[in-house]
Amino acid sequence: MNKVNIFDIEGMELPAGRRTRVMLGENGAINGEYFCQGYVVIYPNGSVPEHEHEAVESYTVLQGAGVMTVDGEAQPVKAGDMVYVESGKPHSLRNTGDGDLHMMFVYAPKMIVDHWAKESSGALK
């Protein structure tokens, strides 16, 4: 059995106002075969900046509220909402609430998406 506690993973603090912990994937606590899964805490007024990638992805909001934009269409999201993002569609998530927004992402196939490095370098805001 491979087991990990989300909160035992330090993760990475990203400049757009969030902490991302990769639980499963090439850069995760466990290296799975087919997909990547992570846990993200977006601080008030923080975001996952708009980006796109070949992988399909889902975002599931666990706590808080925000606005998810996929391919130019923006909709409010709250705890319990799941958004599926098709391959190649630009997408972003902004925390519009007063508290932290917690969400889980899953994407496949597994890879290390380049938008984390772009954001860390200041190229993506």
Side-chain angles (χ1 to χ4, degrees), residues 34-102:
Y34 303 106
F35 64 95
C36 182
Q37 181 177 12
Y39 183 83
V40 180
V41 176
I42 304 173
Y43 311 124
N45 299 313
S47 71
V48 176
E50 184 176 86
H51 64 282
E52 60 187 80
H53 40 71
E54 184 179 314
V56 297
E57 185 169 25
S58 68
Y59 282 15
T60 303
V61 179
L62 304 170
Q63 175 182 319
V67 172
M68 180 88 191
T69 303
V70 177
D71 203 24
E73 179 185 352
Q75 288 192 26
V77 291
K78 64 183 181 333
D81 288 341
M82 188 278 291
V83 177
Y84 175 73
V85 181
E86 295 175 14
S87 175
K89 300 285 184 180
H91 55 284
S92 64
L93 175 59
R94 174 160 300 282
N95 182 348
T96 58
D98 294 331
D100 292 343
L101 185 155
H102 294 242

Side-chain angles (χ1 to χ4, degrees), residues 3-25:
K3 178 184 171 191
V4 65
N5 185 290
I6 295 167
F7 303 109
D8 290 340
I9 302 168
E10 182 178 343
M12 54 192 144
E13 195 77 21
L14 290 158
R18 74 181 184 284
R19 176 167 293 278
T20 296
R21 296 171 171 98
V22 180
M23 302 175 314
L24 182 68

Side-chain angles (χ1 to χ4, degrees), residues 22 24-25 27 34-38 105-111 116:
V22 180
L24 182 68
N27 60 338
Y34 303 106
F35 64 95
C36 182
Q37 181 177 12
F105 66 83
V106 176
Y107 63 80
K110 80 167 188 169
M111 66 176 87
W116 293 332

